[in-house]
Amino acid sequence: MHQYMQRVYDEVKARNPHEKLFLQTVEEVFESLEPIVEKNAELYEKYGVLERMCEPDRMIQFRVTWADDNGMPHVNRGFRVQFNSAIGPYKGGLRFASDVTLDTMKFLGFEQTFKNSLTSLPLGGGKGGSDFSPIGKSDAEVMRFCQAFMTELWRHIGPDVDVPAGDIGVGGREIGYLYGQYKRIKAVWENGVLTGKGFSYGGSLIRPEATGYGAVYYLVEVLKHFGETIEGKRIAVSGYGNVGWGIMKKAAQLGAKVTYFAGPDGYIHDPDGVTGDKLDFILEMRAKDPMHCKPYADKYGVEFVPGTKCWGVKDVDIIMPAATQNDVNEEWAQKIIDSGVKYYIEVANMPTTNEALAMLRKCEHITVAPSKAVNAGGVATSGFEMSQNSMRYNWTAEEVDEKLQVTMKNIYAASVEAAEKAGLGYDLVAGGNIAGFLRVADAMIAQGLV
Ligand code: 2IT
């Protein structure tokens, strides 16, 4: 590592010794930035670009107290990490999941900064959430929790300040309750304070599907590079939340098939692909019980393999981890390599450990695409929701979808170009990190030492 990078990395490590996820993403990004930093080390060092990028603008942590349906009190931890505002108001989702810590928030906020930059929209980086999980809670409990959470968060956010959205555990229902409480407390119609809203009160068409659709649009560009089309391709996905579901739907529309998908309880193998009414069934199944995908196998008479992941299956062309971080470790990476699959398209935020990522990138028959670029269609469409809220106007689904497609093509092209310019050849991982970095770095240098 270049000595400036090494110094900053050592400082980050010394300052955050227990933050494994945050250190993992910093290391991964730094590795990619090496050729760029080497060329401009003096400038970046003079403006403290790397050390400022690794320290959030501010972090807010608060207690969330709520009562369950039996009147029993519960205390959760709420977070909002406002990471970087060089190119726009803080923007990024809220994650409600029992394993959320400040470390999770920092890793996601750091990644969000580069991802948002790639969209070329005016969006800074932020992330928030809580160690509260909506799984197994009643609707009334989720509402009370969201209201308690927003009662603290509202003073830190705003349409020109910080604009949260959904992530794992936060969908349309939660955003609705959060928005209602924000409006009640502030007594204003600041429609753009949250994205992922319902269409009846300022949401954007296509936002629920946007991350999955965008991932498939990006994939189409990768395939094009190799003279291939998506038609007839077989895809294995992990996760069937909003993101996985969006992938299934768009893949089916474009003549490809998701033939494997995994949930917390095991995986499904449906050789005919998830198409037609099966897509609706997945929504129903998820709403009833998000921890089990086996009911799909029972309903459609297909194979269910309990207690394991679908990585390493031989009869697919493309792998798309779309569940959560560190889904693919070295052991799974080896199985993926041995399977002969050609495309490894990250979709979830940091779904691959750094060691596994290195193995997959080294493997000659595999092309790796990074999540920061691949999943950026979600936040880009959040940006489109903000634009519509500012205009007090709604675009049609076709208009939003068209903008999403253009954005994904541009992200892909910018990544390819950035890697080539840095002398790295066709390297989507490094290219994505570099392209995202350059815009933020330029803005930070222009705005001085703040
Ligand atoms: O990880 C992500 O990019 C998101 N959860 C979406 C963020 C957003 O503001 O739409």
Side-chain angles (χ1 to χ4, degrees):
M1 227 188 246
H2 185 273
Q3 56 152 12
Y4 169 45
M5 301 187 91
Q6 190 63 54
R7 172 170 69 78
V8 175
Y9 185 70
D10 289 345
E11 281 167 14
V12 172
K13 226 167 138 179
R15 204 176 245 166
N16 312 285
H18 307 298
E19 294 180 348
K20 283 195 182 134
L21 298 169
F22 178 54
L23 292 173
Q24 180 183 336
T25 180
V26 171
E27 189 184 21
E28 193 269 323
V29 170
F30 272 27
E31 203 244 53
S32 293
L33 298 181
E34 178 113 52
I36 291 298
V37 172
E38 213 148 65
K39 265 194 225 148
N40 293 294
E42 217 173 299
L43 178 70
Y44 292 146
E45 207 163 359
K46 179 173 165 202
Y47 284 94
V49 170
L50 292 179
E51 48 272 59
R52 286 195 289 146
M53 266 184 194
C54 292
E55 188 65 18
D57 287 3
R58 67 189 65 76
M59 299 190 280
I60 298 137
Q61 188 185 306
F62 48 93
R63 187 183 72 227
V64 186
T65 312
W66 58 282
D68 65 23
D69 289 343
N70 299 315
M72 289 299 291
H74 293 267
V75 170
N76 283 99
R77 214 169 242 190
F79 303 97
R80 188 70 184 168
V81 174
Q82 300 181 331
F83 222 108
N84 191 298
S85 58
I87 61 170
Y90 307 105
K91 181 84 196 88
L94 298 171
R95 177 174 294 192
F96 290 172
S98 44
D99 64 353
V100 161
T101 63
L102 185 62
D103 182 22
T104 324
M105 302 287 96
K106 284 181 71 180
F107 120 64
L108 290 165
F110 184 77
E111 297 228 323
Q112 198 80 44
T113 302
F114 298 96
K115 178 198 312 196
N116 292 4
S117 166
L118 276 175
T119 67
S120 66
L121 297 168
L123 303 170
K127 203 83 189 194
S130 175
D131 57 0
F132 167 87
S133 170
I135 296 171
K137 307 291 191 303
S138 74
D139 198 55
E141 288 170 336
V142 170
M143 183 172 75
R144 283 197 298 278
F145 175 82
C146 289
Q147 291 176 341
F149 184 87
M150 186 53 88
T151 301
E152 186 65 35
L153 186 67
W154 73 274
R155 70 188 74 247
H156 304 292
I157 62 175
D160 295 315
V161 180
D162 183 354
V163 181
D167 193 87
I168 294 170
V170 179
R173 173 182 64 167
E174 288 76 15
I175 292 292
Y177 294 148
L178 291 164
Y179 186 78
Q181 185 71 352
Y182 180 87
K183 185 166 65 70
R184 173 159 73 170
I185 293 173
K186 273 206 95 175
V188 289
W189 186 256
E190 290 180 346
N191 207 194
V193 68
L194 294 170
T195 61
K197 300 181 293 290
F199 187 64
S200 59
Y201 64 99
S204 175
L205 294 172
I206 306 290
R207 178 63 191 89
E209 299 92 339
T211 310
Y213 280 19
V216 175
Y217 295 148
Y218 185 101
L219 166 65
V220 167
E221 297 303 304
V222 177
L223 293 169
K224 227 188 261 170
H225 175 84
F226 291 97
E228 297 195 55
T229 65
I230 191 162
E231 238 186 329
K233 292 283 186 298
R234 298 154 306 171
I235 306 173
V237 175
S238 63
Y240 50 99
N242 251 354
V243 179
W245 184 78
I247 292 170
M248 292 167 179
K249 200 169 160 189
K250 183 51 72 180
Q253 279 174 16
L254 299 181
K257 282 195 271 197
V258 171
T259 51
Y260 287 87
F261 70 92
D265 56 334
Y267 73 81
I268 299 283
H269 177 208
D270 182 351
D272 296 332
V274 186
T275 54
D277 65 337
K278 293 172 183 170
L279 286 161
D280 299 325
F281 180 75
I282 286 189
L283 291 184
E284 273 169 46
M285 178 173 80
R286 207 171 70 195
K288 263 191 226 147
D289 170 9
M291 297 306 282
H292 295 91
C293 64
K294 184 174 177 291
Y296 181 100
D298 298 339
K299 172 146 174 110
Y300 294 107
V302 297
E303 189 187 7
F304 171 71
V305 181
T308 186
K309 308 184 187 202
C310 55
W311 308 140
V313 293
K314 292 204 178 348
D315 50 348
V316 293
D317 308 289
I318 298 151
I319 292 206
M320 300 180 85
T324 191
Q325 66 268 14
N326 293 333
D327 188 2
V328 175
N329 60 15
E330 287 158 277
E331 204 180 309
W332 289 114
Q334 192 56 52
K335 290 193 166 117
I336 290 169
I337 290 167
D338 294 342
S339 77
V341 76
K342 278 168 74 179
Y343 301 100
Y344 180 79
I345 311 291
E346 289 191 332
V347 192
N349 294 309
M350 201 167 75
T352 323
T353 67
N354 284 352
E355 296 74 22
L357 188 62
M359 286 167 66
L360 292 161
R361 288 176 71 189
K362 243 185 253 151
C363 174
E364 277 183 5
H365 66 260
I366 295 183
T367 296
V368 179
S371 58
K372 284 185 215 81
V374 174
N375 75 26
V379 73
T381 306
S382 278
F384 302 147
E385 183 170 332
M386 291 161 71
S387 306
Q388 293 170 82
N389 295 156
S390 295
M391 289 190 291
R392 300 183 185 235
Y393 187 74
N394 294 309
W395 287 322
T396 63
E398 290 71 26
E399 284 171 302
V400 179
D401 197 27
E402 168 66 23
K403 287 180 185 6
L404 174 60
Q405 285 188 53
V406 170
T407 301
M408 297 315 297
K409 279 187 187 173
N410 289 344
I411 290 173
Y412 172 81
S415 304
V416 171
E417 194 192 318
E420 265 167 19
K421 262 197 177 157
L424 298 168
Y426 188 74
D427 184 339
L428 298 172
V429 176
N433 283 331
I434 292 169
F437 166 81
L438 286 175
R439 180 171 169 225
V440 179
D442 186 74
M444 288 177 77
I445 291 168
Q447 293 168 32
L449 292 182
V450 290

